[in-house]
Amino acid sequence: MDLSLEQRLLRFLSREEEDERRSFRDLRSLPVEHRVLEGECVRGAVLRNAGPERFEFDAPENLSKFRDGDAVAVGDGFDFQAALPLVYAGYDAERGVVTLEKDRFARVDLSELERGETYCIDRRPLGIRGRLQDVVRAGFADARLRDVLEGHHELARDDARYERAITALEKTDLNDAQRAAGAAAIATESLALVQGPPGTGKTRLLAELIKILAKAGCRIALTAYTHRAVDNALRAIHAADPKVPLFKIGNAGANAPQLRKLGVHLNPRAVKLPQSGVVISGTCFAIAKMTAEERFHLTVFDEAGQMPIAHAMAGMMLAKRWVFFGDHAQLPPVITAHHADREVTESAFGRLHRVYGGELLDTSYRMNEGVCGVVSDTFYRGQLTSADSAASRIMPFDGGGRFDEILDPAHPVVLARVDHRQPGMRSPEEAALVADLCEDLVQRHGLDPRDIAVIAPFRAQVRLIRSALQQRTQLGDAKGLVVDTVERIQGQEREVVIVSLAVGDPDTLDRRAGFFFSTNRLNVALSRARTKAVLVASSGAFTALPRDAESLRAASVYKSLYETLPCVDVTGAYCGSEG
Amino acid sequence: MKPKTGTHVYTLLKCRRAVALDLVGDRDLKRELLPHEEFVLKRGRDHEDVIVEELGWPEPEFERGDWAQGAARTAEMLREGIEGVSQGILLGDDRLGIPDLLRREPGASDLGDFHYVVGDIKSSAAPRSDQILQVVFYSGMLAELQGREPDYGYLVLKDGREERFEIADYAPAMRQVERELDAIRSAPDDVRPFFGMACESCSWSDVCVPTLQDQDDLSLLPGVTPALRSTLESADVRTCTALASSDVAQVASASRLEPALVQRLQTSARARSDRTTLWAERSATPREDAALLHVLTDAFADRVLYFGVLHPADEDGEIRDAVPATRDDEWSAFQEVLHAVPRGARILHYGRSLPKWFEEHAHGREQTLAIESRFVDLALLFRGAVTLPGPAFTMSDYVSLVLDRDPHRTGHVGESAMRAIARDDDWLREKGRSDLRDLAALRARILETQATDRV
């Protein structure tokens, strides 16, 4: 049956919502031990301290994937209706203590939780979407917007405005590619796309652009999928021009105090929003709740490579001109359901770029020549170069240590091979090597822990590495050393990045291939590095032959890196005789 | 030594042992193809014939089995610059390739101001890795012959659609495949059998499976991969029986595996050793109003051939079923059987066939999400609820292992398409109904058994 794009997007939203409900139902039908192995349950958690707001549980065997802020239910692991809603607030691996906090939106009596009692901690659903379906329907009723999304629109620009934009941008210290992209964005009568690979000054350009437009009296809507991206953009605009009035609607997010300090007006419900020379921002969910009367000169989207098409429509409804900043070679939208219709799972940026093309920012100010070369050749068909100011930078290095071969700045991207065959989402062998490398970087080479990031594909491996780091007394207080999944680290950069792939059994990778072999994730992980990226992995991670063609293509990128990167084999030291 | 062929590339992704046996095994030990397997092969060949006939490209003429002559003739045809060659022969030092299609494209090569690209005709709806790698393998041989890489490779899929891809995107995977094939060719007897999903349809299964059973091989346990088997063996656990009686902490420590994983594998080993099914500790599943909905499909034709509903979802429930004659009849047939399900009752099914069909056909019609939200996949529930004495890849495995019934007693599910073409509606109904009763029995046995034989 031939469906319209509108129908396909509505189906996409429905299926996403239904899938969330279904996955919880399926998860809960699994026995406790299976949920534990899936990382979705902590069993045998004994309540140690119960405060009115915080609860501490002894849970030495915590294999869960929970992260701070996740909604959890505490009960006997069987009767979910009787389980109490709380929020996960962290795990101290050294003490084996899970901390949970009261959910401020849930009105329940938590006095039922008894000290000394044993509980199961399970994930619980939050509920999502809704209004977006109305947005999609309204969006497709607008013929111009429908044409743009369906690929029938012809791009147009105002030449006079383009010339004025070039003149204005020449006064900035932006590079040629940034100026060209900025002028195209200002001059567009409909749509402009700016692809910003890692460290190419995408947010900087966005800020300069908004500064110019606000000064010209434009009323600008600014939106992104996450609070993090919205807040980053607001900070950059403030840095470019503190006089631009900034508003953020909807939930303020975790950075509220910081934004307030910058003078951002948060959740201004009672205030009538100004009509000119102003930036009104919010996540796409908050923007979707704005009344139809609110109109803007243009909408600016940041991190649009992570925004599904349906979600972007909320922002598109607010104006007739749109500027999309993003990079479809970096993280894609988070999609939970299985969709036979793959096209609707594309990001707004990916879809529009495929049809209309865009401007590429081609100079990275972050990565040195070596890191940039690998990233450019692997993910950008060689179009990316390192800026002069960054090209020759190297990490601090004091030779004579145990890991010289791996950390030698002469090899900016290197593979440290540990040939374990772990079939799950955790590798103690890799975690031990990562912790040793971090210790060496800080102790011998004098790096500040804040200059190091460790990235792993699975939360279970993240936790294992954090635990290994906590045991390194030589590292002292390693505060600031980021250990996380790639989703949590997009937008950040560090002097040195260590990526732990965790899986060593190629046959189990076939099952997880769609997630594991993501060139987008690998791109984001490696390109966080300014001067050095170490890929810690088993050779087994590179020998899988996934059955799905798209996964095989991505796996080939991993294989290509395995063939070309300088490799240091430390299997003997970390896998013992079993390796 | 036999040369590497496209078939070896294709087979490697399913089973390395099958490649080794294809190279050196005693062909007399291969089992005969079943009628429905013959049917699938014939259907693929017919599909190929239709496309080749439409193209009208010539085949090289040569003495049967004289590959060198065939390769020489193919090279001549390519040098002549004809539009395309069907079933050409490509021959290298240790490689033999018979691509379905070689098509002329602009772009200079050693052959002239043109070159050729490789295409293969497949019966699937979407391209698969093994199919792509086959084309990449042929493309490498063609590159040697014409002195340049082909611009792209392509597959002609079952609906006649052409799917193009860049050869370079898959080159690293191809190099790995070649390395693995070389390793197998140099020591085929070293490739150990491994029990997997591919065994059921493999014609070498009579050679491998009895050996694995005799050896009490660890691959007979669900969730064990070749690497995991090696890891356990290196920790001195070599059989299922040994694992069943081992000390979990010791094995975990020696193998560096998660204790929880070793524990789960040991539970499976015990179920196998005791030839019994073990139920995981779980809360009582409240009895709810539910119906079973089962479909028989023809993947090649992208068709549902049979819809059946059993309500209530018990073995003695009432069945309403329908056999849609054409694709256009499918939705009404679905609605007809759905009338037997009370509003709000859960719709139990097994596997992805029903939701996949529903997603592709239902949207745009009223109330479809309300129906879809009632779907419950028994495959997921079974997987978590029970530990079986052997691996269960399909519903048939559950029927054998849990109910001790012959799942094929009314015919093999693979026969469905063959029977539908023969208009054997009675067979489809009998098979569908028998499956429905089996599913009801499985549901009762797996999900409603309480407190006996617990882990």
Side-chain angles (χ1 to χ4, degrees), chain B residues 94-312:
Chain B
D94 59 351
R95 291 183 287 179
L96 168 65
I98 313 177
D100 290 336
L101 307 169
L102 295 168
R103 179 166 73 191
R104 193 188 60 208
E105 286 286 357
S109 70
D110 292 353
L111 303 170
D113 60 355
F114 56 86
H115 75 290
Y116 283 83
V117 297
V118 175
D120 228 33
I121 302 166
K122 297 295 177 194
S123 325
S124 60
R128 292 198 318 253
S129 294
D130 47 3
Q131 300 165 342
I132 286 176
L133 286 171
Q134 229 178 343
V135 172
V136 177
F137 176 75
Y138 298 142
S139 298
M141 299 176 76
L142 179 63
E144 283 172 21
L145 176 69
Q146 64 185 12
R148 67 164 278 172
E149 292 287 338
D151 266 359
Y152 60 90
Y154 70 102
L155 294 169
V156 182
L157 300 172
K158 70 176 180 186
D159 55 0
R161 182 167 48 98
E162 183 179 312
E163 189 84 28
R164 290 187 187 190
F165 52 88
E166 286 190 36
I167 303 295
D169 282 350
Y170 298 92
M174 192 64 236
R175 286 194 286 274
Q176 182 191 325
V177 167
E178 291 248 23
R179 282 194 297 272
E180 290 196 26
L181 287 177
D182 288 339
I184 294 171
R185 285 174 81 231
S186 64
D189 295 330
D190 290 353
V191 184
R192 294 171 62 190
F194 188 90
F195 189 76
M197 198 172 177
C199 291
E200 193 189 335
S201 56
C202 177
S203 47
W204 291 108
S205 60
D206 289 350
V207 177
C208 302
V209 178
T211 313
L212 293 168
Q213 299 276 10
D214 288 348
Q215 292 171 345
D216 193 21
D217 189 86
L218 289 165
S219 69
L220 295 164
L221 297 178
V224 172
T225 62
L228 190 48
R229 177 173 71 178
S230 303
T231 306
L232 288 167
E233 287 175 347
S234 68
D236 221 18
V237 178
R238 293 172 191 287
T239 62
C240 301
T241 310
L243 180 58
S245 58
S246 61
D247 180 284
V248 168
Q250 251 175 26
V251 174
S253 159
S255 63
R256 295 169 185 262
L257 294 169
E258 295 278 2
L261 173 64
V262 178
Q263 178 70 64
R264 199 188 74 194
L265 294 172
Q266 186 182 65
T267 305
S268 297
R270 286 183 175 163
R272 179 177 157 75
S273 299
D274 300 344
R275 304 252 184 282
T276 184
T277 303
L278 300 173
W279 275 264
E281 187 73 47
R282 56 192 290 121
S283 56
T285 312
R287 185 91 187 153
E288 59 182 4
D289 191 20
L292 271 161
L293 205 161
H294 186 57
V295 293
L296 295 175
T297 59
D298 175 354
F300 178 84
D302 205 8
R303 285 277 330 270
V304 168
L305 309 171
Y306 168 89
F307 289 98
V309 155
L310 177 73
H311 182 263

Side-chain angles (χ1 to χ4, degrees), chain A residues 358-377:
Chain A
E359 303 283 335
L360 174 76
L361 306 184
D362 58 5
T363 308
S364 174
Y365 295 91
R366 174 189 302 163
M367 298 176 279
N368 68 11
E369 198 172 13
V371 178
C372 188
V374 171
V375 169
S376 177
D377 291 346

Side-chain angles (χ1 to χ4, degrees), chain A residues 1 7 11 15 18 22 25-26 29 31 338 340 422 426 429 505 507 543 546-548 556 559 563 578, chain B residues 129 169 172-173 175-176 225-227 254 256 258 280 282-283 352 359 363 365 372-373 375 380-381 384:
Chain A
M1 183 186 293
Q7 285 175 307
R11 176 172 66 177
R15 293 183 57 77
E18 177 52 28
R22 189 195 306 276
R25 206 169 58 212
D26 292 343
S29 68
H338 172 273
Q422 291 293 347
R426 304 182 352 142
E429 299 88 347
D505 180 344
D507 293 291
T543 54
R547 290 186 181 87
D548 169 66
S556 281
K559 290 175 202 299
E563 288 172 348
E578 288 87 29
Chain B
S129 294
D169 282 350
R175 286 194 286 274
Q176 182 191 325
T225 62
R256 295 169 185 262
E258 295 278 2
R282 56 192 290 121
S283 56
R352 291 279 314 152
E359 187 190 346
H363 192 74
R365 305 179 198 267
E372 192 177 4
S373 66
F375 289 169
L380 296 173
L381 299 189

Side-chain angles (χ1 to χ4, degrees), chain A residues 291-334:
Chain A
T291 60
E293 288 76 45
E294 293 285 357
R295 302 301 298 169
F296 295 82
H297 290 98
L298 80 165
T299 306
V300 176
F301 300 80
D302 197 14
E303 305 285 12
Q306 285 184 275
M307 195 182 279
I309 302 161
H311 296 60
M313 289 180 68
M316 294 180 85
M317 293 285 291
L318 299 175
K320 296 283 182 200
R321 285 161 57 200
W322 313 289
V323 181
F324 288 85
F325 285 85
D327 182 7
H328 47 302
Q330 296 190 57
L331 290 184
V334 178

